Amino acid sequence: MPVCLVRSSINIDETFQVPHIVRPGETMSSSGMWSRPGGKGANVAAALGLAGAPVKMLGAVGKEATWPLDCLKERHVDTSHVHVSDSVPTGRAFIQVSTSDGENSIVLLKGANFVEETSLNDPAAWIGTEEETYVVLQNEIPLEVTKAYAAYASARPHVRAVFNPSPMLSQDELRAFPWEGIDVLIVNEGEAADMHEALSGRPVEASAAKALAALPAIASIQWIVVTFGSRGSAAGVLCDGSRTWVDVPATKAERVVNTTGAGDTFTGYLVSGILREQGAVTPERIHALMTRASVASAMAVEVDGAMESIPAAADVEKRL
């Protein structure tokens, strides 16, 4: 099986339980507060590990708080290459979770995720010359690092780059991004619409997924996956020169406790399935991979926390 490198963020989630998301100018008391491991990169790495994929985390923490690495190790993630900074603290995500509907809002502190003095920023130091490798990229590390890894992947046929552009880039950043280096793109409906407007110069008027896939900058990406929340998800996969579209309904959660980390769970489980595939991918296989990711994501919202809510593969198989 190919190895999967996650060059992305590691955070500590400082979560506050509130009656509803705080409005501008409003002050309210929290009914609970806790600290947990998180960060989009660490969450995806944990999902990959729990899904059974061989995964290495390429990220950074501050020496004042290295305990998220222990949580990753428990989820079968290789953390031996994580950079520990002496001067910059571990990144933080300050999260409000509404007790009324489970929705959340997040404010990020970049912290060690943006440390510049580390060899992690050089893709050539971490990607082998022959071994098939998947690299998962997001936007909670410096953009130039993400672009360097994408550009490196574009020049090497044994390297496949997965991009989940969240938080979303600016329109200028989207237009300047090296999309030719991306093999798997995973976005939600709003992100797809933002990308379409930036790359085409006009708002999307029909299906966000198919409109995005039709743009010249995006058309060569093999997997384009767009999630639509309660309306499910769609995947357009290039095979033999044409793109096959598969729609998958959303998996209904038994209860909604906390939506934090659900998208990262979806990404991790989907990528774990993609890297197992050999040869041509049929619509039936695409549907099966997307369904597995959808079930895992639904299970994640039934449990409190982000990384802690990600289900193990055996439990996902039982729900399937």
Side-chain angles (χ1 to χ4, degrees), residues 279-292:
V281 182
T282 65
E284 292 77 17
R285 287 301 301 149
I286 297 169
H287 192 280
L289 297 183
M290 295 281 287
T291 299
R292 184 170 183 256

Side-chain angles (χ1 to χ4, degrees), residues 3-315:
V3 66
C4 193
L5 306 178
V6 179
R7 179 63 186 102
S8 191
S9 58
I10 303 172
N11 286 333
I12 294 173
D13 291 345
E14 308 282 11
T15 303
F16 298 83
Q17 194 173 50
V18 292
H20 60 261
I21 304 303
V22 176
R23 295 184 291 267
E26 181 181 19
T27 300
M28 84 170 50
S29 295
S30 171
S31 58
M33 182 270 180
W34 51 88
S35 298
R36 290 174 170 148
K40 293 189 69 63
N43 290 341
V44 169
L48 282 159
L50 288 168
V55 55
K56 297 180 181 180
M57 184 73 215
L58 303 182
V61 296
K63 67 177 182 180
E64 94 295 350
T66 61
W67 57 265
L69 303 186
D70 296 328
C71 301
L72 285 171
K73 292 174 187 175
E74 292 171 358
R75 291 160 177 82
H76 319 299
V77 178
D78 181 349
T79 63
S80 59
H81 304 300
V82 171
H83 175 78
V84 179
S85 174
D86 291 329
S87 57
V88 182
T90 298
R92 298 292 197 280
F94 300 94
I95 305 171
Q96 298 178 56
V97 177
S98 169
T99 57
S100 61
D101 56 14
E103 287 299 321
N104 67 81
S105 68
I106 304 173
V107 177
L108 296 176
L109 172 69
K110 296 175 180 178
N113 295 311
F114 275 66
V115 168
E116 296 180 359
E117 303 80 16
T118 171
S119 64
L120 294 178
N121 293 341
D122 177 14
W126 303 101
I127 300 176
T129 57
E130 296 181 358
E131 183 181 30
E132 186 176 357
T133 304
Y134 280 69
V135 180
V136 178
L137 304 168
Q138 294 156 315
N139 286 335
E140 290 183 351
I141 61 173
L143 177 58
E144 291 308 311
V145 175
T146 300
K147 291 169 66 176
Y149 273 80
Y152 189 89
S154 69
R156 289 157 181 84
H158 67 287
V159 182
R160 303 187 67 191
V162 180
F163 192 29
N164 173 218
S166 180
M168 180 49 63
L169 302 173
S170 70
Q171 291 202 351
D172 287 342
E173 290 169 338
L174 287 169
R175 286 188 284 266
F177 194 84
W179 295 106
E180 65 277 4
I182 302 302
D183 297 277
V184 181
L185 176 67
I186 304 173
V187 292
N188 62 35
E189 185 176 21
E191 292 165 344
D194 289 343
M195 287 180 59
H196 182 276
E197 183 170 358
L199 298 174
S200 70
R202 62 185 185 277
V204 65
E205 297 179 354
S207 164
K210 293 184 177 180
L212 182 63
L215 299 179
I218 304 297
S220 64
I221 296 177
Q222 184 182 11
W223 281 76
I224 296 176
V225 180
V226 181
T227 58
F228 301 97
S230 62
R231 292 183 289 114
S233 55
V237 183
L238 282 177
C239 189
D240 296 328
S242 62
R243 192 175 296 278
T244 297
W245 285 96
V246 175
D247 296 316
V248 177
T251 301
K252 185 175 178 58
E254 294 179 354
R255 60 188 182 282
V256 176
V257 176
N258 189 338
T259 60
T260 307
D264 299 330
T265 300
F266 182 94
T267 296
Y269 264 84
L270 179 59
V271 173
S272 76
I274 292 174
L275 63 84
R276 285 182 170 87
E277 293 298 315
Q278 302 294 326
V281 182
T282 65
E284 292 77 17
R285 287 301 301 149
I286 297 169
H287 192 280
L289 297 183
M290 295 281 287
T291 299
R292 184 170 183 256
S294 177
V295 169
S297 180
M299 293 175 69
V301 307
E302 298 170 359
V303 181
D304 209 3
M307 187 185 298
E308 294 150 305
S309 71
I310 302 170
D315 295 325

